[in-house]
Amino acid sequence: MKIAIYSRKSKFTGKGDSIENQIQLCREYAYKCFNSTNDNIMIYEDEGFTGGSSDRPQFKLMLKDAKSKKFQVLICYRLDRISRNIADFSTLIEVLQENGISFISIKEQFDTSTPIGRAMMYIASVFAQLERETIAERIRDNMLQLAKTGRWLGGVTPTGFDSKELIFLDPSGKERKIYKLAPLGEEIEIVKLIYKKFLELDSLTQLERFCIQNGIKTKNGLDYSRFALRNILTNPVYAVADKDSYNYFINNNYQVYADLNEFSDNRGIMAYNKTIQNKNMTNKLRDTSEWIIAVGKHPGIISGKDWVKVQNMIEKNRTKTFRRTKNTKSLLSGILRCGNCGSFMRPKMGRVNKEGIRVFYYLCELKEKSKREKCNIKNIKGNDLDNLVISEIKKLPYQGIFLSEEMKKNKNKIINTKNNFPSEIDMLEASIEYNNEAIANLVNSLSQGQNSNATKYIIEQINELDKKNKNIKKRLVCLEKESKSSKLKANSKEIADDININFCYMVDTMNPVRKRYLIRAVIDKIIWDGDNIKILTFGTDS
C-alpha cells in the first residue's frame, strides 16, 4: 500500500523544522498503523505557502497523483495543513473519495472511510480556520519532537556559548540543517568562575559585588546584576546531564523528555518551552513544571552535583538576597539618579529622630553594591529631599518655571531647566487621580450634613467631576489604541495646567503611593551630584 504524506508551512525560513516534524509524526503513524516502510511513502511538502489558497505546487502534484491513483492513503498532521479554505477542502475530499483514497488527520483522528467520519471532517474544517487557538498546542508538539534532537532553536545564545551549524541527511536523503551550542573560551570560563564563587560566597549580593570589584562584565560590557547572575546560576544549559541532575528534574516536576540512561555522557541540558513570548512585551518565564528538559548536543559545564547544590542554595537564600528598603514613604525612587555614575539612588532606613519620624537616606546603588569602590558619592537625606521637591512643584504656577529655593538643612542648590509638560497619558491618569480625590472629599462633606443649597452644589460638582473622568478615560482608550505615545498633544496643556495649579491640594490629601505617582506625572528625573540637586521635568534637556 502506498502512503502519501502532505505537509505545509506558511513562512519560508530555509530550515524546514516544522515541516520536518509534521512529516516525522506522519511517518510514525504510517509505520504503526500500516506497517509501511520509507519505500512505500510519498512525501509532498509546500514551504512558504498559505493554507488559504490551493495554488501550491506540491498540493497540485498531490491532487494529480491522487487522480492517477498513485497512493491509497493520504496522511497529514492537521486539517489546516491541507487547507483553511472550506471549498478547497471539500474539493480534495471529493477527489479522494472518487479514487478510493482514505484521508487521515493524525491530530484530529478523523477517517473518511465512514459517513460519520466524513461529516465530522467537514465540521472540523470550519474550525481549522481558527488556527490561532491551537498555536500553543502545535508549538508544544514541535518542542517534544525537537527535544529528541537536543538542538539549539535560535535567538540570543546563553553566556558562554555560540551557535554552530550542523548539516545532516534525513531519512528521505534530503539535506537538513540544525544548530547546536558550542562553548566560547573566555565567556565559559567566566560562567565557571560565577558558579565557583557562588558556591564559596553563598550570596547573590556578595557575588554581584565580587564581579563589580573585579571588573567582570557581561558579554555586552555591563556590570553583572543579581538578576543576570541568577539567570546564569539557574539555567539548566550549564548542567551536565548526569544522575544528579536527572533526579533533581524528576523530583521537582520538570517534564524530562529523556531516559536516565541518556544522562550519562557529560552532555549538557536543553530546556525548551521556558518562556511565554508575546509581541512587544518582555518574555516571562513559565512555571518550571511546563519546561521540557532534554539532553543537548553541547557539553555540560557544571557537574550535576554542583548545579543542584546551587539551585538548593538559591532557593534557601532567596529571602536573604539584597533587598531594597521597603520604605512606603519615600517618593523619588525610580527618578532619582546619581550624578557621578548614573545609577539609581534607593532609600535606606535610618534612626528615628526626636520628633518620632523615621529618617531615611537615598544612596547610590553602585556605591552600595561595590562597597564604595566604584562610586563614593555622598548620601542625601530622603525626608528633606521629598519635602523640597513637593514644595518646589507647588510653587510652579506662582513663581514661574524655575525651581530655585535652596535646601536649607543640607545647603543643596536646586537647579532646574525649562519646564515642559509630561506625556498626555501620564497627565490624564494623574488628572483622574485628582478628580477621584476631589469626589471623595465632596462625598465626605455630604456625609457630614449640609444645607439644601450646599448639598445641591456638591452633587453638581460630583457629577461634573465624574463626567470629566469619563471623558478622560475615553481619551485614554483612544491613546492606547493609537500607540501609547508619550508625545505632547495640543489639548493636553489645559490638563497639565490643572495639575500644576491644583498640585498643592492634590498632594496633601494623597497617600504616599499616589503622591509618588503624581510626582512622576511632572518630574522626569532628579540628579544628585553630591552637592547640588538638578530637577528635570518632562521635555527638558539633561
Side-chain angles (χ1 to χ4, degrees):
M1 181 179 290
K2 286 287 186 180
I3 307 292
I5 294 175
Y6 180 80
S7 62
R8 179 186 61 79
K9 182 180 177 184
S10 296
K11 185 178 180 182
F12 180 81
T13 63
K15 297 179 182 179
D17 291 339
S18 292
I19 278 185
E20 180 186 350
N21 290 335
Q22 292 175 43
I23 293 174
Q24 184 59 33
L25 289 168
C26 293
R27 282 184 187 275
E28 291 174 1
Y29 187 95
Y31 298 155
K32 180 179 179 180
C33 297
F34 297 96
N35 295 319
S36 295
T37 64
N38 288 333
D39 294 336
N40 296 331
I41 295 176
M42 304 169 65
I43 305 295
Y44 301 88
E45 54 182 294
D46 283 312
E47 187 165 25
F49 293 89
T50 176
S53 170
S54 61
D55 189 18
R56 291 168 265 156
Q58 288 290 295
F59 183 82
K60 290 179 178 179
L61 177 60
M62 180 190 69
L63 283 176
K64 181 180 178 181
D65 289 345
K67 293 174 182 178
S68 299
K69 300 184 179 181
K70 290 187 177 181
F71 53 85
Q72 289 75 50
V73 177
L74 173 61
I75 303 175
C76 73
Y77 171 61
R78 294 184 67 96
L79 293 177
D80 58 359
R81 297 302 88 193
I82 290 290
S83 178
R84 293 200 191 114
N85 184 292
I86 298 174
D88 291 340
F89 184 82
S90 299
T91 299
L92 170 66
I93 296 300
E94 289 176 3
V95 170
L96 296 179
Q97 288 177 344
E98 289 172 359
N99 292 279
I101 298 172
S102 297
F103 174 73
I104 296 171
S105 171
I106 63 173
K107 198 63 183 176
E108 289 89 356
Q109 289 291 303
F110 287 140
D111 187 340
T112 58
S113 62
T114 64
I116 189 63
R118 288 191 294 273
M120 291 300 297
M121 188 77 71
Y122 286 120
I123 294 172
S125 68
V126 176
F127 294 98
Q129 297 181 49
L130 305 176
E131 182 183 15
R132 64 180 179 273
E133 297 181 5
T134 59
I135 287 177
E137 186 177 357
R138 291 208 310 272
I139 291 175
R140 181 166 183 76
D141 286 339
N142 284 341
M143 289 292 183
L144 291 173
Q145 290 299 314
L146 292 169
K148 295 179 180 179
T149 68
R151 69 180 68 180
W152 172 249
L153 301 184
V156 179
T157 55
T159 298
F161 288 104
D162 195 8
S163 178
K164 181 180 179 182
E165 181 182 278
L166 295 177
I167 299 176
F168 71 101
L169 298 178
D170 66 12
S172 65
K174 186 172 182 178
E175 188 177 276
R176 302 284 187 182
K177 292 180 182 179
I178 65 171
Y179 294 83
K180 76 167 189 174
L181 294 175
L184 290 173
E186 293 184 5
E187 277 190 24
I188 208 66
E189 292 303 317
I190 290 176
V191 171
K192 292 178 181 178
L193 178 61
I194 287 172
Y195 273 86
K196 178 183 176 182
K197 294 305 295 184
F198 181 76
L199 287 168
E200 292 177 8
L201 300 171
D202 192 17
S203 166
L204 281 172
T205 301
Q206 293 185 42
L207 178 61
E208 179 187 46
R209 185 176 302 132
F210 170 82
C211 291
I212 291 173
Q213 291 176 339
N214 290 275
I216 299 172
K217 305 283 188 179
T218 69
K219 58 184 179 181
N220 296 322
L222 304 175
D223 286 326
Y224 271 107
S225 65
R226 294 180 305 282
F227 179 77
L229 291 169
R230 190 179 187 279
N231 280 346
I232 290 176
L233 292 170
T234 57
N235 195 335
V237 75
Y238 303 109
V240 172
D242 57 20
K243 184 177 180 180
D244 291 299
S245 58
Y246 178 85
N247 288 334
Y248 176 85
F249 294 127
I250 293 296
N251 294 335
N252 287 277
N253 298 319
Y254 290 75
Q255 299 183 50
V256 181
Y257 205 66
D259 296 326
L260 177 59
N261 59 4
E262 297 179 64
F263 280 68
S264 59
D265 58 359
N266 292 322
R267 287 190 292 167
I269 300 292
M270 289 299 296
Y272 301 98
N273 202 42
K274 285 176 58 179
T275 59
I276 301 173
Q277 299 181 3
N278 295 314
K279 190 175 181 181
N280 299 324
M281 293 179 65
T282 303
N283 294 341
K284 294 184 179 180
L285 283 177
R286 299 179 187 274
D287 186 85
T288 53
S289 63
E290 298 183 56
W291 294 16
I292 298 172
I293 299 297
V295 178
K297 290 185 174 295
H298 64 284
I301 305 302
I302 307 299
S303 71
K305 181 179 180 181
D306 284 345
W307 191 84
V308 170
K309 185 177 180 181
V310 166
Q311 308 317 302
N312 293 333
M313 290 167 64
I314 289 176
E315 180 62 25
K316 179 181 178 182
N317 297 336
R318 63 191 173 103
T319 58
K320 300 179 182 179
T321 55
F322 177 87
R323 298 186 301 271
R324 295 170 185 150
T325 302
K326 294 181 179 178
N327 182 1
T328 57
K329 294 187 177 180
S330 62
L331 306 179
L332 307 180
S333 295
I335 58 175
L336 179 60
R337 286 184 175 271
C338 171
N340 185 27
C341 67
S343 300
F344 283 109
M345 299 189 70
R346 303 297 185 186
K348 184 174 183 178
M349 298 302 294
R351 58 179 175 79
V352 176
N353 64 17
K354 295 179 180 179
E355 289 77 28
I357 298 173
R358 173 70 69 178
V359 176
F360 72 94
Y361 298 83
Y362 288 108
L363 70 159
C364 171
E365 272 195 333
L366 183 60
K367 173 185 175 180
E368 175 77 7
K369 293 175 183 177
S370 67
K371 290 295 183 182
R372 300 174 179 264
E373 287 194 16
K374 298 294 182 179
C375 185
N376 196 29
I377 198 167
K378 291 187 294 185
N379 299 341
I380 185 169
K381 289 184 179 179
N383 310 72
D384 293 344
L385 182 59
D386 285 0
N387 291 334
L388 175 66
V389 170
I390 289 175
S391 175
E392 293 299 329
I393 295 176
K394 284 181 179 181
K395 295 176 182 178
L396 284 174
Y398 309 105
Q399 296 187 359
I401 58 176
F402 291 99
L403 305 177
S404 58
E405 183 177 337
E406 288 188 337
M407 187 174 184
K408 296 178 181 178
K409 292 185 178 180
N410 291 313
K411 297 180 181 180
N412 297 317
K413 185 178 180 183
I414 306 299
I415 306 171
N416 189 26
T417 54
K418 183 179 180 181
N419 178 47
N420 287 313
F421 299 111
S423 70
E424 184 174 4
I425 290 177
D426 287 335
M427 289 186 293
L428 290 171
E429 290 174 341
S431 187
I432 289 174
E433 289 286 343
Y434 168 62
N435 290 340
N436 286 337
E437 290 288 341
I439 290 172
N441 290 334
L442 290 168
V443 170
N444 184 54
S445 297
L446 275 176
S447 67
Q448 294 176 3
Q450 302 286 339
N451 60 50
S452 58
N453 291 332
T455 299
K456 181 179 179 181
Y457 171 78
I458 291 172
I459 292 174
E460 288 177 354
Q461 288 293 101
I462 291 174
N463 290 335
E464 182 64 25
L465 289 169
D466 183 62
K467 183 178 179 181
K468 283 185 177 181
N469 270 356
K470 288 180 179 178
N471 290 333
I472 292 171
K473 288 176 181 178
K474 288 180 181 179
R475 178 61 182 160
L476 273 174
V477 170
C478 291
L479 282 176
E480 290 170 357
K481 286 183 178 180
E482 289 173 3
S483 64
K484 293 185 179 180
S485 172
S486 62
K487 294 181 180 179
L488 299 176
K489 307 295 182 181
N491 62 348
S492 65
K493 186 178 185 301
E494 181 180 351
I495 298 172
D497 286 340
D498 286 342
I499 292 176
N500 281 335
I501 293 172
N502 295 297
F503 186 91
C504 57
Y505 305 108
M506 295 164 67
V507 76
D508 290 338
T509 59
M510 289 182 172
N511 60 37
V513 174
R514 291 185 175 181
K515 285 182 182 180
R516 193 179 301 122
Y517 182 82
L518 186 60
I519 289 172
R520 287 175 181 156
V522 179
I523 302 299
D524 182 20
K525 60 184 174 182
I526 302 173
I527 301 171
W528 163 245
D529 65 8
D531 295 309
N532 299 318
I533 285 289
K534 187 176 184 180
I535 302 176
L536 299 173
T537 52
F538 280 91
T540 57
D541 297 326
S542 58

